[in-house]
Amino acid sequence: MGKRDKKDEAPPPGPFNNPFAALSAQREALPAGPPPPAAREKPEPKGPARAVVRMERKGRGGKEVTVVEQLGLPAAQLDTWLKALKGGLGCGGVVEEDALVLQGDQRERLPALLEARGVRKVIVG
């Protein structure tokens, strides 16, 4: 009874001074822009040409470890690869000289992860 019905009111007019109102009429006169870029395929990740994966027990108190050798990566990249492989496999590991040493026998699961990181040939021994 004391409230006003908003249905009866007209919507407020547009902005009082719209500086872009005149541009909308000239839209057809603008030159066509460049075509949108085509969907690009992801480039194949560049990685080492090959990796040798082997299991070893000697000198480790009978514990099995998986050794990844011949990657040919700099030391900074070896640390990055080790962290990614440890996370993907759920195991521990360490960098020894130019090889990655992962705890446990990971020979079956490791080749798929290495190929996903760009290794072109994985040799399992």
Side-chain angles (χ1 to χ4, degrees), residues 36-57:
R40 296 181 184 174
E41 293 183 23
K42 274 191 169 179
E44 188 172 319
K46 295 275 184 172
R50 70 183 212 160
V52 177
V53 178
R54 63 184 172 86
M55 200 235 351
E56 152 180 314
R57 276 193 203 118

Side-chain angles (χ1 to χ4, degrees), residues 34-99:
R40 296 181 184 174
E41 293 183 23
K42 274 191 169 179
E44 188 172 319
K46 295 275 184 172
R50 70 183 212 160
V52 177
V53 178
R54 63 184 172 86
M55 200 235 351
E56 152 180 314
R57 276 193 203 118
K58 290 187 179 180
R60 303 189 187 275
K63 305 286 184 180
E64 295 178 341
V65 296
T66 305
V67 181
V68 182
E69 296 178 316
Q70 299 180 11
L71 286 171
L73 296 172
Q77 269 193 321
L78 282 175
D79 290 333
T80 306
W81 277 57
L82 179 67
K83 184 174 182 177
L85 292 176
K86 285 176 11 180
L89 295 169
C91 67
V94 67
V95 176
E96 287 184 359
E97 296 177 9
D98 290 336

Side-chain angles (χ1 to χ4, degrees), residues 8-25:
D8 296 337
E9 293 181 15
F16 184 74
N17 183 17
N18 186 356
F20 301 108
L23 291 177
S24 64

